[in-house]
mmCIF file of all heavy atoms in Angstrom:
data_model
loop_
_atom_site.group_PDB
_atom_site.id
_atom_site.type_symbol
_atom_site.label_atom_id
_atom_site.label_comp_id
_atom_site.label_asym_id
_atom_site.label_seq_id
_atom_site.Cartn_x
_atom_site.Cartn_y
_atom_site.Cartn_z
ATOM 1 N N ARG A 1071 -12.209 -27.969 22.554
ATOM 2 C CA ARG A 1071 -11.642 -29.050 21.736
ATOM 3 C C ARG A 1071 -11.902 -30.427 22.347
ATOM 4 O O ARG A 1071 -11.901 -31.434 21.657
ATOM 5 C CB ARG A 1071 -10.131 -28.878 21.640
ATOM 6 C CG ARG A 1071 -9.667 -28.175 20.415
ATOM 7 C CD ARG A 1071 -8.174 -28.142 20.425
ATOM 8 N NE ARG A 1071 -7.590 -29.201 19.639
ATOM 9 C CZ ARG A 1071 -6.345 -29.607 19.754
ATOM 10 N NH1 ARG A 1071 -5.557 -29.054 20.645
ATOM 11 N NH2 ARG A 1071 -5.874 -30.560 18.997
ATOM 12 N N ILE A 1072 -12.101 -30.449 23.658
ATOM 13 C CA ILE A 1072 -12.267 -31.725 24.335
ATOM 14 C C ILE A 1072 -13.476 -32.471 23.790
ATOM 15 O O ILE A 1072 -13.459 -33.676 23.601
ATOM 16 C CB ILE A 1072 -12.406 -31.499 25.863
ATOM 17 C CG1 ILE A 1072 -11.089 -30.885 26.388
ATOM 18 C CG2 ILE A 1072 -12.722 -32.795 26.580
ATOM 19 C CD1 ILE A 1072 -11.158 -30.437 27.830
ATOM 20 N N ASP A 1073 -14.537 -31.728 23.499
ATOM 21 C CA ASP A 1073 -15.732 -32.390 22.989
ATOM 22 C C ASP A 1073 -16.346 -31.547 21.865
ATOM 23 O O ASP A 1073 -17.355 -30.879 22.058
ATOM 24 C CB ASP A 1073 -16.740 -32.560 24.132
ATOM 25 C CG ASP A 1073 -17.860 -33.512 23.710
ATOM 26 O OD1 ASP A 1073 -17.870 -33.909 22.524
ATOM 27 O OD2 ASP A 1073 -18.697 -33.820 24.563
ATOM 28 N N PRO A 1074 -15.685 -31.547 20.693
ATOM 29 C CA PRO A 1074 -16.093 -30.622 19.641
ATOM 30 C C PRO A 1074 -17.476 -30.904 19.071
ATOM 31 O O PRO A 1074 -18.097 -30.032 18.494
ATOM 32 C CB PRO A 1074 -15.016 -30.799 18.574
ATOM 33 C CG PRO A 1074 -14.463 -32.149 18.811
ATOM 34 C CD PRO A 1074 -14.584 -32.414 20.278
ATOM 35 N N ILE A 1075 -17.979 -32.137 19.217
ATOM 36 C CA ILE A 1075 -19.254 -32.451 18.596
ATOM 37 C C ILE A 1075 -20.413 -32.190 19.545
ATOM 38 O O ILE A 1075 -21.353 -31.470 19.231
ATOM 39 C CB ILE A 1075 -19.278 -33.923 18.113
ATOM 40 C CG1 ILE A 1075 -18.318 -34.054 16.936
ATOM 41 C CG2 ILE A 1075 -20.684 -34.339 17.709
ATOM 42 C CD1 ILE A 1075 -18.590 -33.101 15.808
ATOM 43 N N ASN A 1076 -20.319 -32.706 20.761
ATOM 44 C CA ASN A 1076 -21.447 -32.572 21.665
ATOM 45 C C ASN A 1076 -21.516 -31.202 22.317
ATOM 46 O O ASN A 1076 -22.594 -30.718 22.634
ATOM 47 C CB ASN A 1076 -21.385 -33.666 22.736
ATOM 48 C CG ASN A 1076 -21.561 -35.030 22.099
ATOM 49 O OD1 ASN A 1076 -22.366 -35.196 21.179
ATOM 50 N ND2 ASN A 1076 -20.758 -35.997 22.538
ATOM 51 N N ALA A 1077 -20.329 -30.596 22.525
ATOM 52 C CA ALA A 1077 -20.342 -29.253 23.108
ATOM 53 C C ALA A 1077 -19.798 -28.268 22.085
ATOM 54 O O ALA A 1077 -18.917 -27.471 22.371
ATOM 55 C CB ALA A 1077 -19.523 -29.216 24.398
ATOM 56 N N TRP A 1078 -20.356 -28.321 20.896
ATOM 57 C CA TRP A 1078 -19.844 -27.509 19.777
ATOM 58 C C TRP A 1078 -19.849 -26.028 20.060
ATOM 59 O O TRP A 1078 -19.061 -25.274 19.564
ATOM 60 C CB TRP A 1078 -20.660 -27.778 18.516
ATOM 61 C CG TRP A 1078 -22.137 -27.529 18.700
ATOM 62 C CD1 TRP A 1078 -23.070 -28.444 19.061
ATOM 63 C CD2 TRP A 1078 -22.824 -26.283 18.575
ATOM 64 N NE1 TRP A 1078 -24.306 -27.864 19.177
ATOM 65 C CE2 TRP A 1078 -24.187 -26.537 18.876
ATOM 66 C CE3 TRP A 1078 -22.452 -24.993 18.239
ATOM 67 C CZ2 TRP A 1078 -25.158 -25.543 18.862
ATOM 68 C CZ3 TRP A 1078 -23.416 -23.999 18.217
ATOM 69 C CH2 TRP A 1078 -24.761 -24.277 18.521
ATOM 70 N N TRP A 1079 -20.816 -25.606 20.915
ATOM 71 C CA TRP A 1079 -20.989 -24.164 21.102
ATOM 72 C C TRP A 1079 -19.801 -23.493 21.781
ATOM 73 O O TRP A 1079 -19.563 -22.321 21.561
ATOM 74 C CB TRP A 1079 -22.278 -23.878 21.875
ATOM 75 C CG TRP A 1079 -22.374 -24.617 23.197
ATOM 76 C CD1 TRP A 1079 -21.925 -24.191 24.400
ATOM 77 C CD2 TRP A 1079 -22.933 -25.909 23.397
ATOM 78 N NE1 TRP A 1079 -22.155 -25.134 25.356
ATOM 79 C CE2 TRP A 1079 -22.788 -26.201 24.773
ATOM 80 C CE3 TRP A 1079 -23.554 -26.858 22.559
ATOM 81 C CZ2 TRP A 1079 -23.221 -27.398 25.334
ATOM 82 C CZ3 TRP A 1079 -23.994 -28.039 23.125
ATOM 83 C CH2 TRP A 1079 -23.823 -28.296 24.496
ATOM 84 N N ILE A 1080 -19.061 -24.241 22.566
ATOM 85 C CA ILE A 1080 -17.966 -23.596 23.307
ATOM 86 C C ILE A 1080 -16.956 -22.981 22.345
ATOM 87 O O ILE A 1080 -16.727 -21.772 22.329
ATOM 88 C CB ILE A 1080 -17.283 -24.604 24.256
ATOM 89 C CG1 ILE A 1080 -18.323 -25.163 25.239
ATOM 90 C CG2 ILE A 1080 -16.125 -23.947 24.980
ATOM 91 C CD1 ILE A 1080 -17.761 -26.176 26.199
ATOM 92 N N SER A 1081 -16.336 -23.819 21.497
ATOM 93 C CA SER A 1081 -15.326 -23.302 20.570
ATOM 94 C C SER A 1081 -15.936 -22.363 19.545
ATOM 95 O O SER A 1081 -15.332 -21.356 19.165
ATOM 96 C CB SER A 1081 -14.650 -24.446 19.826
ATOM 97 O OG SER A 1081 -14.075 -25.324 20.727
ATOM 98 N N THR A 1082 -17.138 -22.718 19.088
ATOM 99 C CA THR A 1082 -17.747 -21.914 18.028
ATOM 100 C C THR A 1082 -17.973 -20.479 18.487
ATOM 101 O O THR A 1082 -17.547 -19.540 17.819
ATOM 102 C CB THR A 1082 -19.093 -22.535 17.612
ATOM 103 O OG1 THR A 1082 -18.880 -23.909 17.318
ATOM 104 C CG2 THR A 1082 -19.639 -21.838 16.375
#
Side-chain angles (χ1 to χ4, degrees):
Chain A
R1071 264 183 97 198
I1072 296 172
D1073 192 354
I1075 291 305
N1076 295 321
W1078 56 267
W1079 54 89
I1080 301 179
S1081 302
T1082 308

